[in-house]
Coordinates of all heavy atoms in Angstrom, one line a residue:
L23 N -98.8 46.6 -41.2 CA -99.2 45.3 -41.4 C -100.2 45.2 -42.5 O -101.1 46.1 -42.6 CB -99.9 44.6 -40.1 CG -98.9 44.4 -38.9 CD1 -99.8 44.0 -37.7 CD2 -97.9 43.4 -39.3
E25 N -102.4 42.8 -42.8 CA -103.6 42.1 -42.2 C -104.3 43.0 -41.3 O -103.7 43.7 -40.4 CB -103.1 40.9 -41.5 CG -104.2 40.2 -40.8 CD -104.4 38.8 -41.3 OE1 -104.0 38.4 -42.4 OE2 -105.0 38.0 -40.6
P26 N -105.7 43.1 -41.4 CA -106.4 43.9 -40.4 C -106.2 43.4 -39.0 O -106.0 42.2 -38.8 CB -107.8 43.8 -40.8 CG -107.9 43.1 -42.1 CD -106.5 42.5 -42.3
L27 N -106.2 44.3 -38.0 CA -106.0 43.8 -36.6 C -107.4 43.6 -36.0 O -108.2 44.6 -35.8 CB -105.2 44.9 -35.8 CG -103.8 45.1 -36.3 CD1 -103.2 46.3 -35.6 CD2 -103.0 43.9 -36.1
S28 N -107.7 42.4 -35.7 CA -109.0 42.1 -35.1 C -109.1 42.5 -33.7 O -108.2 42.3 -32.9 CB -109.3 40.6 -35.2 OG -110.5 40.2 -34.6
A29 N -110.2 43.1 -33.3 CA -110.4 43.5 -31.9 C -111.4 42.7 -31.2 O -112.0 43.1 -30.2 CB -110.8 45.0 -31.8
G30 N -111.7 41.5 -31.7 CA -112.7 40.7 -31.1 C -112.5 39.2 -31.4 O -112.2 38.8 -32.5
G31 N -112.6 38.4 -30.3 CA -112.6 37.0 -30.5 C -111.2 36.4 -30.9 O -110.3 37.2 -31.1
Y32 N -111.1 35.1 -30.9 CA -109.8 34.5 -31.3 C -109.9 34.1 -32.7 O -111.0 33.8 -33.2 CB -109.6 33.2 -30.4 CG -109.3 33.5 -29.0 CD1 -110.3 33.3 -28.0 CD2 -108.1 34.0 -28.6 CE1 -110.0 33.6 -26.7 CE2 -107.8 34.3 -27.3 CZ -108.8 34.1 -26.3 OH -108.5 34.4 -25.0
G33 N -108.8 34.1 -33.4 CA -108.8 33.7 -34.8 C -107.5 32.9 -35.1 O -106.6 32.7 -34.2
A34 N -107.3 32.5 -36.3 CA -106.1 31.9 -36.7 C -105.0 32.9 -36.7 O -105.1 34.1 -36.9 CB -106.3 31.3 -38.1
P36 N -102.0 34.9 -38.3 CA -101.7 35.4 -39.7 C -100.4 34.7 -40.2 O -99.6 34.2 -39.4 CB -101.6 36.9 -39.6 CG -101.2 37.1 -38.1 CD -101.8 36.0 -37.4

Side-chain angles (χ1 to χ4, degrees):
L23 292 172
E25 174 118 343
L27 298 171
S28 176
Y32 292 104

